Amino acid sequence: MEYRITAELSLPAGSAELDGLQQQGAAALLAEWLDRVATVEGPDGVEITPYDHELDTHPSGAVIELLVDAPALSFAENGAEALLYEILERTELLADWKVGKCEVTVSDAELAEALESHDGSETAPASGVVGVPPEEIAAQHRRLLGLAPQLRAFDADSFGPSTDVDDARLLAAGALIDRAVALTDELFMDVTTLEDDAHSLDEDDTSWTADDSDELFVLHDLPVRYRHHYDVMFAKKFLLSSAAVYARLTRPGWARPTSTAEALALYVLVENAKDILVSLAGLDAGDVNTMFSAFDDAAQAHHDHEWLYLEDLDAIDPDDSAADPLGFLARNAHSWFDPYPDSVDTAPHPYLIDEG
């Protein structure tokens, strides 16, 4: 989930104010480090990812606006504060500066609306999520409900019967749309990271894989056993397959996944949607799993992708067809893009056809 954070940096007590030249120098030092930052581990061991920043220096310090990705509001704030302190410590000339306010920015109107919606009635969002205040949960509900109509391929009944939490099925629909956008962006970044990492070390990107890059998003959520197969071409193929599946969610008349890769893309999307419904929207994990179990029955035609996540595959003889009925152990992950034999659309996109 993306958060906009405003942080204030200040000079040590008793310091003289910065003149114009000193302000420019401080801005240059801060910008250099902010431009270099990738994923950061916060105090709780939770990773946050800064995407963008704006920086404004003044005689008494600086104000920084950060756009970060984090699993919850509190993690975003704590992680951003830890990041800024680390930058100051690594910048000798700014080592004595202090981090003041560092918090997610919400307008007065947004806060008033969130508090008004949290009135204790049955339809008010849950407030029992550790570290997430009621107003943040209320804001997440409004946001996801606003996205729900874009899921045109399924109706509310696809998520099973209504639960005790009002609009929970619509929240689930909105979460799928929200995560589809986020995962597409993250896959673009994964492709770029693989290419840049290989180029920076003068490596052939056909042999550089997710095993060699530490800071990846979606590719590191795919089955770990096959990580050495996730090269640049795989990432591009998976981006295309994922985009095709996610686009079908916004059109009436659902077409089920036509390959293992498409089924896997939908599975990753569902797992991400579950996470934000529990961690940000305050829904009960059991209710969320029940809803998506019903959705899975309606959305998936095959479940071979689940086999890829099994942890006890080392004991399986890859030559034993009975133990490995799908033949995955003998296959390269690039074969996941082959259409299912029973698929109506058996012609792969030209980009998915291996050269040679």
Side-chain angles (χ1 to χ4, degrees), residues 6-340:
T6 298
E8 296 179 355
L9 306 183
S10 60
L11 301 175
S15 298
E17 291 189 342
L18 302 176
D19 59 28
L21 185 59
Q22 289 172 325
Q23 290 179 45
Q24 292 182 28
L29 290 172
L30 291 168
E32 178 184 1
W33 278 101
L34 288 168
D35 288 337
R36 293 166 58 181
V37 169
T39 300
V40 178
E41 185 173 299
D44 301 309
V46 177
E47 291 185 343
I48 69 164
T49 302
Y51 286 126
D52 197 8
H53 66 269
E54 292 185 7
L55 173 64
D56 182 31
T57 55
H58 53 78
S60 300
V63 176
I64 298 175
E65 286 197 0
L66 292 171
L67 184 64
V68 305
D69 181 86
L73 182 147
S74 61
F75 295 132
E77 292 180 337
N78 293 339
E81 183 177 6
L83 163 65
L84 293 173
Y85 268 118
E86 181 176 350
I87 289 176
L88 294 178
E89 289 174 2
R90 292 180 178 228
T91 309
E92 183 178 353
L93 295 176
L94 307 179
D96 294 333
W97 285 35
K98 305 297 181 183
V99 179
K101 181 185 75 172
C102 183
E103 59 189 24
V104 170
T105 53
V106 181
S107 69
D108 291 341
E110 290 173 330
L111 183 57
E113 183 181 352
L115 292 173
E116 182 180 354
S117 69
H118 187 66
D119 58 5
S121 64
E122 182 179 352
T123 59
S127 58
V129 184
V130 177
V132 183
E135 60 269 23
E136 173 65 14
I137 295 176
Q140 294 297 337
H141 278 223
R142 293 197 310 275
R143 188 178 65 82
L144 296 179
L145 289 174
L147 293 172
Q150 297 183 41
L151 188 77
R152 300 183 182 90
F154 298 92
D155 57 24
D157 290 338
S158 299
F159 296 93
S162 179
T163 67
D164 293 337
V165 180
D166 189 48
D167 290 330
R169 296 180 300 176
L170 294 179
L171 291 174
L176 286 174
I177 297 299
D178 175 78
R179 292 297 88 187
V181 175
L183 289 173
T184 302
D185 287 341
E186 290 174 353
L187 273 168
F188 271 112
M189 288 187 282
D190 281 356
V191 171
T192 300
T193 297
L194 286 175
E195 290 180 324
D196 289 349
D197 286 353
H199 178 72
S200 66
L201 295 175
D202 197 23
E203 295 283 346
D204 182 354
D205 62 19
T206 61
S207 60
W208 190 267
T209 71
D211 249 352
D212 304 307
S213 292
D214 296 328
E215 296 169 354
L216 297 174
F217 295 97
V218 182
L219 294 183
H220 279 176
D221 285 339
L222 300 185
V224 176
R225 170 178 306 277
Y226 301 91
R227 192 170 284 179
H228 60 290
H229 290 169
Y230 307 153
D231 56 14
V232 171
M233 182 55 69
F234 177 94
K236 291 178 178 179
K237 290 179 178 180
F238 195 72
L239 169 61
L240 187 63
S241 293
S242 299
V245 174
Y246 301 162
R248 296 204 295 270
L249 292 171
T250 64
R251 299 194 293 264
W254 174 243
R256 294 187 175 189
T258 63
S259 67
T260 300
E262 287 194 358
L264 189 58
L266 184 59
Y267 170 82
V268 172
L269 173 62
V270 166
E271 292 303 303
N272 275 262
K274 288 180 182 179
D275 180 66
I276 67 166
L277 288 172
V278 175
S279 64
L280 298 183
L283 299 192
D284 177 76
D287 290 340
V288 170
N289 286 331
T290 297
M291 285 193 298
F292 277 105
S293 178
F295 175 81
D296 190 61
D297 290 339
Q300 294 278 18
H302 299 264
H303 293 81
D304 54 344
H305 59 282
E306 297 176 359
W307 194 92
L308 299 172
Y309 285 96
L310 295 179
E311 298 180 355
D312 57 351
L313 299 183
D314 290 330
I316 297 178
D317 181 356
D319 297 324
D320 183 353
S321 59
D324 181 20
L326 302 175
F328 275 122
L329 291 180
R331 293 164 56 188
N332 185 289
H334 285 267
S335 67
W336 301 349
F337 301 97
D338 297 338
Y340 290 130

Side-chain angles (χ1 to χ4, degrees), residues 337-352:
F337 301 97
D338 297 338
Y340 290 130
D342 61 351
S343 174
V344 175
D345 182 10
T346 58
H349 188 286
Y351 189 66
L352 301 184

